[in-house]
Amino acid sequence: MGHPYEDLQETAFWRTAVAEKHSLHISGLWQPRFKIGLDDRIVTAGSCFAQHFSRALVKRGYSWFNAEPAPKFLSADDASRFNYGIFSFRTGNIYTARILRQWLELAFGARDPIEEVWEKEGRFYDPLRPVIEPNGFASADEMLASRETTLRSIREAVQGTDVFVFTMGLTESWQNSELDYEYALCPETVAGTFDPDRDQFENQSFEAIQADMAAAIKLLLRENPSIRVMLTVSPVPLTATASGDHVLVATSYSKSVLRAVAGAMRDRFEHVDYFPSYEIITNAAFGGQFFAPNKRSVVPEGVDFVMRNFFADQERVFGKNAPAKKARAPRRGKAAPTQDDVRCEEEMLNAFAQS
Amino acid sequence: MPSRKAKPEKRKLRVCLYGDSNLAALRLAFNEGYDPGDDVEVSFFGAQGPAFRQLRQTKDGVQADKKLINGKELISTDGRSGIKPSDFDAILFIGARLRAHEYFHAVMPGLFHRDRSLSLAVREAMTAKFLSSCRSVRIATLFSSNGMPFVAFAPSGFLNEGLSKSHRWEELAGIEIAKQTDRAAIWSVLEEELSKRGVTLIAQPEETVASGCLTKAQYAVDDAKALGDAVHKNEAYGKIILDHFFGSKEFAALRVPVRESELS
């Protein structure tokens, strides 16, 4: 009778899986729990690294679910400026598990509305997404109506999606202790007024994040029992820390905690998986090659490598994806006839024939 | 014997009516006897349907493609193959691919459904794009900036009442409750954006509007229902648009110098 390590595959051993391989040939990092097909609707949310997911999915022909698309006649540049099409709904970055929970609870009526409005120079800002409109809103009511639009989009996204991808970003957060909610950004950095008595810094613990993430997942499952949740952890280091620690040490703490929570969620919920984009970018085996010279931003090659791993591991485990069954959008080309074109020839001929 | 001072020759105001198949409504009105006054000389210029795209913007006007000139689709009542700002005193663009109903459908639901709202800043950006992406608006802007005294634009009218089934009406739930004030608010944004381009908006007259954002059936072309034509309008509609154009204060201002010259 042999020992438990005897029959393990080569990916279980550092020497064969990592040390003896060129870093770009390290593979099989992910053992996906569920298949993601081209027909599956995929919602993306989370920290800024999640944006890469939506772009890569669209590029590969996957069905990214944009529940709050830019309105007609908004140019691509303006759509981007107003944060349409960045995530599946117009929340902006969702950095923490608590803010995800907060958005879901607001969307599904599990908590009272948050009515605080930040005002700056006659413009109005949403404390839950202060940079969603580049110059704020024209009025407090416009801001609140816009948030209601996003809450509806969240409901549609959650109830209509097959896969919910969430990228966990931060543990450090700012809480409004009077109204009991979490800001997206520290007050006064964009708008609002910082009140040291009211606005409390919290570097969230493993237990707190675990509780928020579990509550968020349960809410997702309550609203859509067949939903599958894929967690990732952003590999992007903190820009700044309010913890008192060195920012490098603070980054290590944050990411370690988030990574641990993601693992715990995967173990706890059968509908939840974890994709190791964090490891692919940050592990020493890759020698920091995917970071830009500022040692923080992830270069496009790094994003490509992450996504190649994602698609390759899906294919390795579940086989090649069959072509999508849903009708794809027609290619741009010759303009289709419009209502004005239909019968217009007769109209003109009739009118001018009578003269 | 002192010679009698010769009366200056009366110069008529030269007006161009420019458009796609929506131009037909204006022509039908003239065919029915519409009279803008004997101080006005009217030319029609345009092309219908797909041929309208063959009217090209040049650096100082509009020129029809050779294919269009050689074919039957070019509408040019005085034989021109192109027009320039100096050719006319005033121009009215009608329809010309500026589809008011598309714009209204994009912004109206947000007025009635709080959870479909669009911020004012977003609507302003949409309006700018809606106008700048229309070639005829760019041409109108060119005419205005090149000195044409009066440039007006009447977008194509709302879709015809009773023919809405062919459209994705479910997406527009609620817009039938739109009131005059709601429409006026939307028109005013368009009006302001066009005026920045030196172009006067001729909004769809209220008396022709039904069900929030449709055109009353009585203003549709005669056989609209039988043919499922949700777009084209009749001579009555054309007459109302012409009344608004020729009755505008901008056009009245053009008439004054001509009358003064007649008196001298």
Side-chain angles (χ1 to χ4, degrees), chain A residues 41-64:
Chain A
R41 287 180 134 193
I42 305 166
V43 160
T44 53
S47 79
C48 50
F49 194 74
Q51 297 172 29
H52 298 305
F53 254 91
S54 53
R55 289 195 201 117
L57 290 168
V58 169
K59 201 172 162 187
R60 291 270 185 150
Y62 281 77
S63 306
W64 179 60

Side-chain angles (χ1 to χ4, degrees), chain A residues 68-76 78-79 81-84 90 123 129 132-153 155-156 334-355, chain B residues 19-25 27-28 31-32 44 46-50 53 72-73 75 77 95-99 101-104 106 113-123 125-130 133 156 159 166-167 221 223-224 227-233:
Chain A
E68 193 171 359
K72 195 171 181 179
F73 303 123
L74 202 61
S75 69
D78 281 334
R81 200 161 60 86
F82 286 99
N83 287 289
Y84 285 98
R90 220 168 145 234
R123 302 293 293 177
R129 42 177 201 156
I132 207 73
E133 295 256 334
N135 299 308
F137 292 91
S139 67
D141 187 61
E142 183 181 82
M143 186 220 92
L144 291 168
S146 175
R147 191 196 288 164
E148 284 185 38
T149 302
T150 294
L151 293 175
R152 178 186 58 79
S153 303
R155 288 192 290 275
E156 286 182 6
K334 193 176 176 185
T338 63
Q339 271 284 333
D340 299 23
D341 294 342
V342 179
R343 278 203 68 245
C344 47
E345 190 171 350
E346 292 94 307
E347 285 313 309
M348 286 291 248
L349 290 175
N350 285 342
F352 285 86
Q354 289 173 33
S355 57
Chain B
D20 53 10
S21 54
N22 290 284
L23 193 56
R27 184 67 196 197
L28 289 168
N31 292 346
E32 293 293 313
F44 288 83
Q48 86 284 351
R53 300 186 189 115
K72 293 178 180 174
E73 292 92 352
I75 301 298
T77 51
R97 295 302 194 259
L98 192 66
R99 301 175 178 101
H101 71 272
E102 290 187 355
Y103 176 77
F104 273 66
H113 302 283
R114 199 168 163 79
D115 61 0
R116 291 178 192 277
S117 71
L118 298 168
S119 70
L120 180 62
V122 167
R123 279 182 279 141
M126 290 165 67
T127 307
K129 178 68 177 173
F130 170 66
S133 61
S156 57
L159 299 176
S166 59
H167 298 275
V221 284
D223 48 1
L227 294 165
D229 185 344
V231 174
H232 297 100
K233 310 292 186 274

Side-chain angles (χ1 to χ4, degrees), chain A residues 206-257:
Chain A
F206 173 87
E207 290 77 12
I209 298 170
Q210 188 181 36
D212 286 327
M213 201 67 235
I217 291 168
K218 284 178 184 170
L219 197 42
L220 290 171
L221 287 166
R222 188 190 80 186
E223 294 299 324
N224 181 350
S226 62
I227 202 169
R228 289 161 283 161
V229 178
M230 197 176 70
L231 299 175
T232 66
V233 172
S234 167
V236 180
L238 276 62
T239 309
T241 180
S243 65
D245 290 331
H246 189 289
V247 69
L248 188 147
V249 176
T251 294
S252 184
Y253 170 82
S254 283
K255 302 298 177 180
S256 303
V257 168

Side-chain angles (χ1 to χ4, degrees), chain B residues 83-94:
Chain B
I83 56 171
K84 292 178 182 172
S86 57
D87 294 341
F88 300 100
D89 300 296
I91 187 168
L92 168 62
F93 290 79
I94 179 144

Side-chain angles (χ1 to χ4, degrees), chain A residues 314-339:
Chain A
Q314 275 281 319
E315 192 173 320
R316 176 176 55 79
V317 174
F318 299 111
K320 218 174 175 65
N321 250 320
K325 288 176 197 155
K326 289 172 190 166
R328 318 302 301 177
R331 283 186 178 184
R332 288 175 70 90
K334 193 176 176 185
T338 63
Q339 271 284 333

Side-chain angles (χ1 to χ4, degrees), chain B residues 85 138-148 151 197-199:
Chain B
R138 297 196 297 273
I139 292 169
T141 306
L142 173 80
F143 276 43
S144 176
S145 61
N146 282 9
M148 185 177 272
V151 179
R197 294 163 164 82
V199 178

Side-chain angles (χ1 to χ4, degrees), chain A residues 12-57:
Chain A
F13 298 96
W14 189 266
R15 182 177 59 80
T16 50
V18 181
E20 292 179 352
K21 292 206 167 173
H22 184 284
S23 62
L24 297 179
H25 293 156
I26 295 171
S27 60
L29 288 159
W30 181 38
Q31 190 64 25
R33 194 173 240 183
F34 46 78
K35 181 177 178 175
I36 301 177
L38 293 173
D39 284 324
D40 286 323
R41 287 180 134 193
I42 305 166
V43 160
T44 53
S47 79
C48 50
F49 194 74
Q51 297 172 29
H52 298 305
F53 254 91
S54 53
R55 289 195 201 117
L57 290 168

Side-chain angles (χ1 to χ4, degrees), chain A residues 27-334:
Chain A
S27 60
L29 288 159
W30 181 38
Q31 190 64 25
R33 194 173 240 183
F34 46 78
K35 181 177 178 175
I36 301 177
L38 293 173
D39 284 324
D40 286 323
R41 287 180 134 193
I42 305 166
V43 160
T44 53
S47 79
C48 50
F49 194 74
Q51 297 172 29
H52 298 305
F53 254 91
S54 53
R55 289 195 201 117
L57 290 168
V58 169
K59 201 172 162 187
R60 291 270 185 150
Y62 281 77
S63 306
W64 179 60
F65 186 4
N66 186 0
E68 193 171 359
K72 195 171 181 179
F73 303 123
L74 202 61
S75 69
D77 284 349
D78 281 334
S80 174
R81 200 161 60 86
F82 286 99
N83 287 289
Y84 285 98
I86 308 292
F87 298 104
S88 290
F89 24 73
R90 220 168 145 234
T91 53
N93 292 323
I94 299 178
Y95 287 113
T96 69
R98 189 168 301 163
I99 293 190
L100 174 65
R101 177 183 183 175
Q102 198 165 275
W103 275 115
L104 292 171
E105 288 180 343
L106 285 167
F108 293 106
R111 68 167 294 157
D112 290 336
I114 296 165
E115 288 169 346
E116 185 181 3
V117 178
W118 286 348
E119 187 182 353
K120 184 183 177 185
E121 295 166 359
R123 302 293 293 177
F124 298 83
Y125 296 80
D126 187 344
L128 303 185
R129 42 177 201 156
V131 296
I132 207 73
E133 295 256 334
N135 299 308
F137 292 91
S139 67
D141 187 61
E142 183 181 82
M143 186 220 92
L144 291 168
S146 175
R147 191 196 288 164
E148 284 185 38
T149 302
T150 294
L151 293 175
R152 178 186 58 79
S153 303
I154 292 174
R155 288 192 290 275
E156 286 182 6
V158 168
Q159 290 167 343
T161 197
D162 299 300
V163 181
F164 191 102
V165 178
F166 181 65
T167 300
M168 306 168 81
L170 295 177
T171 57
E172 295 191 15
S173 62
W174 289 91
Q175 312 291 324
N176 182 318
S177 60
E178 286 174 9
L179 299 174
D180 189 26
Y181 78 96
E182 183 171 317
Y183 299 114
L185 290 171
C186 178
E188 219 168 300
T189 52
V190 172
T193 306
F194 182 73
D195 177 347
D197 295 329
R198 180 197 60 191
D199 302 328
Q200 305 293 315
F201 173 74
E202 182 183 345
N203 197 3
Q204 295 168 10
S205 67
F206 173 87
E207 290 77 12
I209 298 170
Q210 188 181 36
D212 286 327
M213 201 67 235
I217 291 168
K218 284 178 184 170
L219 197 42
L220 290 171
L221 287 166
R222 188 190 80 186
E223 294 299 324
N224 181 350
S226 62
I227 202 169
R228 289 161 283 161
V229 178
M230 197 176 70
L231 299 175
T232 66
V233 172
S234 167
V236 180
L238 276 62
T239 309
T241 180
S243 65
D245 290 331
H246 189 289
V247 69
L248 188 147
V249 176
T251 294
S252 184
Y253 170 82
S254 283
K255 302 298 177 180
S256 303
V257 168
L258 295 175
R259 174 62 187 90
V261 171
M265 293 299 104
R266 185 183 185 277
D267 292 344
R268 183 168 163 185
F269 296 97
E270 61 175 325
H271 286 72
V272 176
D273 200 357
Y274 168 73
F275 174 65
S277 53
Y278 170 72
E279 283 83 348
I280 294 172
I281 298 296
T282 63
N283 196 277
F286 297 97
Q289 64 183 303
F290 299 131
F291 283 109
N294 67 5
K295 301 182 177 73
R296 182 171 183 273
S297 308
V298 176
V299 296
E301 293 79 6
V303 176
D304 284 350
F305 187 68
V306 164
M307 295 314 297
R308 278 209 307 276
N309 271 272
F310 177 88
F311 298 119
D313 286 336
Q314 275 281 319
E315 192 173 320
R316 176 176 55 79
V317 174
F318 299 111
K320 218 174 175 65
N321 250 320
K325 288 176 197 155
K326 289 172 190 166
R328 318 302 301 177
R331 283 186 178 184
R332 288 175 70 90
K334 193 176 176 185

